[in-house]
């Protein structure tokens, strides 16, 4: 894929990176990524993916912009309050990068539509805010053999990992970590416990970096590792995730 003069100028800082160059940029422009959630994680994630030149972006969100969202959901502005988040996201992406083909999935993801929604995307990024959706998406991506980059944040703490159990050992799935879907009350949601907006921005930005790395095959991925971030102590640490013997999701070692 030959880049136009405008694209060469737009992506100049990517092109001078030996690890990306024109070949890598062309690959990004040909890639399609689905983002679940246009909220605190999805906002910086979508903005940086659009800026990087991911040619096809899709977003799943059934909600409308609320005034309380604006403390962290930087895709949206005050004039967007009451507007579907998918529409607000589409407008923001169009302002940043007209190269992007943006698809709006204004719906609530469930068992009846998840496989159809993720079909056609090269990679899925999860920024959802509830366990039911996270497990639904993780199971669907495993079945469809799609890489899933998953982030979460609450209060001052975040976590990030990549799931690709379809590759077999040693790559674990979400159910290797949690065999059963936890009760929704097990961890308080942002509207209950609060969240530092900039901490959500940190995790969404890290998530965007991992998505780009996976698409281009760069560096060391996070499959088999969980990155933990403590904003109050400014500490990052990793813990190892292993495939669980008899895992109900991927079957475990093998």
């Amino acid at each position: 894929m030959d880049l136009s003069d405008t694209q060469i100028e737009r992506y100049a800082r990517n092109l001078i990176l030996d690890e990306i160059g024109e070949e890598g940029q062309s690959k990004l422009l040909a890639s399609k990524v689905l983002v679940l959630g246009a909220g605190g994680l999805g906002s910086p994630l979508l903005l940086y993916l659009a800026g990087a030149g991911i040619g096809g972006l899709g977003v799943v969100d059934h909600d409308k912009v609320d005034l309380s969202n604006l403390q962290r959901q930087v895709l949206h502005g005050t004039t967007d309050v009451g507007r579907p988040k998918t529409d607000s996201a589409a407008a923001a992406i169009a302002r940043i990068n007209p190269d992007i083909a943006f698809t709006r999935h204004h719906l609530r993801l469930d068992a009846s539509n998840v496989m159809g929604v993720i079909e056609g995307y090269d990679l899925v990024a999860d920024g959802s805010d509830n366990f039911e959706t996270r497990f639904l998406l993780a199971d669907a991506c495993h079945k469809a053999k799609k890489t899933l980059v998953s982030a979460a944040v609450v209060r001052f703490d975040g976590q990030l990992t990549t799931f690709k159990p379809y590759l077999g050992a040693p790559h674990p799935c979400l159910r290797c970590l949690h065999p059963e879907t936890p009760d929704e009350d097990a961890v308080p949601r942002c509207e209950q416990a609060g969240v530092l907006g900039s901490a959500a921005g940190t995790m969404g930005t890290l998530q965007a970096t991992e998505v780009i790395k996976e698409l281009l095959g760069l560096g060391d991925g996070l499959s088999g590792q969980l990155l933990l971030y403590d904003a109050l102590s400014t500490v990052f640490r990793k813990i190892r995730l292993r495939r669980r013997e008899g895992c109900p999701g991927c079957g475990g070692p093998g």
Side-chain angles (χ1 to χ4, degrees):
M1 175 182 180
D2 292 330
L3 301 182
S4 68
D5 290 343
T6 300
Q7 289 173 326
I8 289 173
E9 183 176 0
R10 177 183 289 275
Y11 304 118
R13 300 305 185 272
N14 278 357
L15 297 174
I16 61 176
L17 293 170
D18 291 338
E19 295 83 353
I20 299 181
E22 189 166 342
E23 181 180 352
Q25 189 62 55
S26 295
K27 189 170 185 179
L28 293 178
L29 286 164
S31 297
K32 296 180 179 179
V33 174
L34 178 69
V35 174
L36 188 62
L41 294 167
S43 287
L45 173 58
L46 284 163
L47 291 171
Y48 275 107
L49 293 182
I54 306 301
L57 284 176
V59 64
V60 180
D61 204 304
H62 69 279
D63 210 354
K64 294 182 179 181
V65 179
D66 185 83
L67 187 60
S68 66
N69 299 151
L70 304 185
Q71 165 255 10
R72 65 201 176 281
Q73 299 183 17
V74 293
L75 266 176
H76 320 293
T78 303
T79 58
D80 295 313
V81 171
R83 189 181 188 187
K85 288 184 180 179
T86 51
D87 291 352
S88 178
I93 297 305
R95 288 194 298 269
I96 292 170
N97 193 343
D99 281 347
I100 307 305
F102 192 81
T103 302
R104 287 169 275 194
H105 301 278
H106 184 66
L107 51 81
R108 185 187 295 274
L109 206 66
D110 60 33
S112 71
N113 60 29
V114 62
M115 296 305 294
V117 170
I118 68 174
E119 184 181 11
Y121 289 96
D122 302 308
L123 181 148
V124 180
D126 184 10
S128 60
D129 62 357
N130 65 88
F131 287 121
E132 182 181 0
T133 302
R134 287 183 175 277
F135 278 75
L136 173 74
L137 190 61
D139 291 344
C141 286
H142 177 37
K143 183 177 180 180
K145 298 183 178 180
K146 294 184 184 293
T147 296
L148 174 65
V149 179
S150 180
V153 64
V154 67
R155 291 180 52 77
F156 303 93
D157 303 302
Q159 62 183 46
L160 175 66
T161 190
T162 296
F163 295 113
K164 37 187 178 181
Y166 60 88
L167 294 178
H171 303 281
C173 73
L174 177 59
R175 292 188 183 274
C176 291
L177 181 61
H178 299 290
E180 301 296 331
T181 306
D183 187 271
E184 288 296 342
D185 294 330
V187 177
R189 293 169 65 171
C190 291
E191 61 264 32
Q192 300 167 315
V195 61
L196 182 68
S198 56
T202 298
M203 298 312 301
T205 303
L206 287 169
Q207 192 176 12
T209 300
E210 292 305 310
V211 168
I212 293 168
K213 286 167 56 182
E214 288 293 334
L215 291 172
L216 297 179
L218 297 179
D220 299 321
L222 283 175
S223 180
Q225 299 182 89
L226 182 65
L227 178 69
L228 301 174
Y229 172 54
D230 178 348
L232 290 181
S233 299
T234 321
V235 169
F236 288 91
R237 64 189 180 96
K238 289 181 182 178
I239 60 174
R240 187 172 180 182
L241 301 180
R242 300 178 183 271
R243 283 171 71 97
R244 180 189 293 265
E245 187 72 43
C247 172
C250 66

